[in-house]
Amino acid sequence: MNWVKEFYEKQYQLLKRDGETSTITDYHKNLMLEIEELAGKPFQSMLELGAGGGEVAIVAAQKGYDVTTIELVPALVEHMEKQAQKYESAGSLHAICGDFLQVDVSAAFDVICYIDGFGVGEDQDQIQLLKRIANWLHPDGCALVDIYTPWYWAKHAGQMMRFESFQRKYDYDFEQARMLDTWFTESNTRYTQSLRCYAPADLKRLLARSGLRLAEIVPGGAMNYETGQYTENVSLGEAMSYRVKLVKN
């Protein structure tokens, strides 16, 4: 997994150059509403894995939650902390810079979120992460995790997108069931992330060794690349990802 830190550092730099790493938007506020709805009951503490620039975490802290984040890229943690200073919060925000497969976190949480990023590494890496999530959860807590679908990304292999200062190409490794997301700089340097895609049946096989079980599946949305239109809610068979609610066995 040597590509991980370099890719997300470069992704942040390119998005920042194009003005895409700005402030909190309705998207982040709505995402927090979705987290609250899927959690299904009141909670106080929240851990966000791979928190990026921390927009969702900041919204959660504003609403009165006690939030901890784990983010690998120092520049993103710095961005998060600067952003958080611009908002008044009824709760708290504690940012940890590190690899969530390695960092020590002694607290337990009511809700653990991993939005858009599950699938780094091999199956054993996912099992290790799921075991850590189980250890970090309160007995009656839940984890909310986004999982990429193999069918959507297989269908859209080869899709290109052009932005102001970079290009992006989606591909698919049919043998390993991995979504490949390559970003091309102006000098044609390439940076690729590779995320394992799981059908629900495949995910359940991972969960059998994790101390967690699948409680609920919520299909995500889908992009029509011909029209540029994103549909927020589609069927599982059309979705690019689905969000799962995991609870302790």
Side-chain angles (χ1 to χ4, degrees), residues 72-93:
L72 181 64
V73 178
L76 283 166
V77 176
E78 182 180 353
H79 173 83
M80 183 189 316
E81 292 173 338
K82 287 181 178 178
Q83 286 285 94
Q85 293 174 7
K86 300 177 182 178
Y87 300 91
E88 292 186 7
S89 296
S92 62
L93 176 58

Side-chain angles (χ1 to χ4, degrees), residues 8 13 15 45 49 61 142 144 154 166 168 187 189 238-239:
Y8 291 116
Q13 293 168 8
L15 290 173
S45 59
L49 305 176
C142 67
L144 310 177
F166 64 93
R168 189 176 186 181
S187 61
T189 306
E238 300 173 290

Side-chain angles (χ1 to χ4, degrees), residues 32 36 42-46 56-68 88-93 110:
M32 188 61 214
E36 291 173 316
F43 62 92
Q44 184 57 42
S45 59
M46 174 175 150
V56 175
I58 293 169
V59 171
Q62 282 184 287
K63 299 184 77 167
Y65 297 107
D66 296 320
V67 186
T68 299
E88 292 186 7
S89 296
S92 62
L93 176 58
D110 300 320

